[in-house]
Amino acid sequence: MKKLKQIFLNSKFSFILGTINLIIFLVLISLTIDEFHITYSLIIILGILPSFFYYLIVFLANKFSTQYRRKRIVNLIAIWSIIPYLIYLFFWTCFLFITIALTPEVKLSSYKHYAILDYFPEKIPENYIDASYYHTYRFLQGGEKFILYLKLDSDLIEEYERAFKGKSIEPHKNIPKEKFYENTPYSDKSLNDDFNIYYLETNCDNSGYCNHGFDKHVIINNNTNEIIFYYQSW
């Protein structure tokens, strides 16, 4: 115990910085990542590197504890390294948020019901035949996109169609006609004429070409018992 205490006293500044780095790293990870993804493994490694750097300084300071000048040099390195460390932390945090924002969520288990998705089902029906989910996160002035694809029994499809048919509206004239339904059976092909599209709410700015806006709609195919819930803002 005395030896550990002496190690801490010899370079407590470095030890504290290393611990602070680990705490900041763990807090940022817990606030931004709901589920572990392989994409984030590099971020985790990069985020933890400064901690090893400061703990290395702790080791060196302890090793040179009997040599005053060398110990002072090591501690000065720890103190002055706080500036590049803060710069590193800033870019690491930016890298984390950018990576999350540019990585679509496609796991069905990650589906969540948000207030803006009031026409989406609150939870995935248990008796679905097929299902998929797609979500891109909002980043800077970029938009956000939610797509939920379900293949259900005919009774549920008819129930959905009755509900949305009565709420359908004419879309804003500048809403883009071309849609992309990622992570569905129609990701790389056009919808056929069997699909009925029900717009629930649309909006565009005054730019004349819909530079910013949003699109809420549902498409249903009674023949194949498929339904796609769609939300996009840009």
Side-chain angles (χ1 to χ4, degrees):
M1 182 63 68
K2 289 183 178 179
K3 187 175 181 180
L4 290 175
K5 184 178 180 181
Q6 188 61 40
I7 291 174
F8 174 76
L9 291 175
N10 285 340
S11 52
K12 56 185 177 181
F13 187 79
S14 301
F15 185 84
I16 290 172
L17 281 181
T19 304
I20 289 174
N21 173 75
L22 278 177
I23 293 173
I24 292 174
F25 161 73
L26 291 174
V27 169
L28 285 172
I29 288 293
S30 64
L31 289 176
T32 54
I33 298 178
D34 294 329
E35 298 182 21
F36 181 80
H37 298 73
I38 296 178
T39 309
Y40 303 141
S41 58
L42 176 62
I43 301 176
I44 293 173
I45 295 172
L46 292 175
I48 208 169
L49 282 178
S51 295
F52 286 111
F53 170 73
Y54 284 114
Y55 290 139
L56 175 63
I57 293 178
V58 170
F59 170 77
L60 293 175
N62 179 64
K63 183 177 181 180
F64 299 136
S65 59
T66 57
Q67 304 177 37
Y68 174 75
R69 288 187 177 180
R70 291 188 180 181
K71 184 180 73 172
R72 185 173 64 177
I73 292 174
V74 171
N75 285 328
L76 283 174
I77 292 173
I79 294 172
W80 285 104
S81 65
I82 188 66
I83 296 175
Y85 163 68
L86 291 175
I87 296 173
Y88 180 90
L89 182 63
F90 170 77
F91 283 106
W92 177 83
T93 306
C94 290
F95 183 57
L96 171 65
F97 281 99
I98 291 172
T99 302
I100 292 174
L102 298 180
T103 304
E105 180 58 72
V106 295
K107 289 185 178 180
L108 190 62
S109 59
S110 65
Y111 172 74
K112 295 179 182 178
H113 188 265
Y114 299 96
I116 58 174
L117 307 178
D118 53 346
Y119 56 102
F120 278 54
E122 291 188 7
K123 59 181 181 178
I124 306 296
E126 295 181 358
N127 58 341
Y128 69 83
I129 300 170
D130 193 11
S132 63
Y133 178 60
Y134 182 87
H135 175 210
T136 56
Y137 296 90
R138 182 184 297 276
F139 179 68
L140 298 178
Q141 291 190 359
E144 190 171 25
K145 194 173 191 178
F146 293 89
I147 298 174
L148 177 64
Y149 166 83
L150 296 172
K151 188 171 185 178
L152 308 168
D153 62 62
S154 57
D155 292 337
L156 270 176
I157 290 295
E158 289 177 4
E159 184 179 335
Y160 273 125
E161 184 157 43
R162 285 194 299 268
F164 293 125
K165 195 172 184 179
K167 299 177 181 178
S168 183
I169 64 170
E170 285 294 323
H172 191 283
K173 63 180 181 180
N174 292 326
I175 284 290
K177 304 299 181 185
E178 190 176 17
K179 318 288 185 186
F180 297 96
Y181 300 96
E182 292 89 342
N183 200 36
T184 73
Y186 305 94
S187 298
D188 55 356
K189 60 182 178 181
S190 301
L191 299 175
N192 56 46
D193 295 335
D194 293 332
F195 277 97
N196 296 316
I197 183 166
Y198 301 107
Y199 286 98
L200 304 175
E201 188 177 2
T202 61
N203 191 31
C204 279
D205 58 18
N206 297 321
S207 63
Y209 58 93
C210 208
N211 186 41
H212 294 289
F214 64 84
D215 180 356
K216 297 182 178 182
H217 72 261
V218 174
I219 59 173
I220 298 176
N221 188 330
N222 283 310
N223 295 330
T224 57
N225 296 326
E226 295 173 295
I227 181 170
I228 299 178
F229 299 85
Y230 182 96
Y231 172 88
Q232 185 178 14
S233 63
W234 61 91

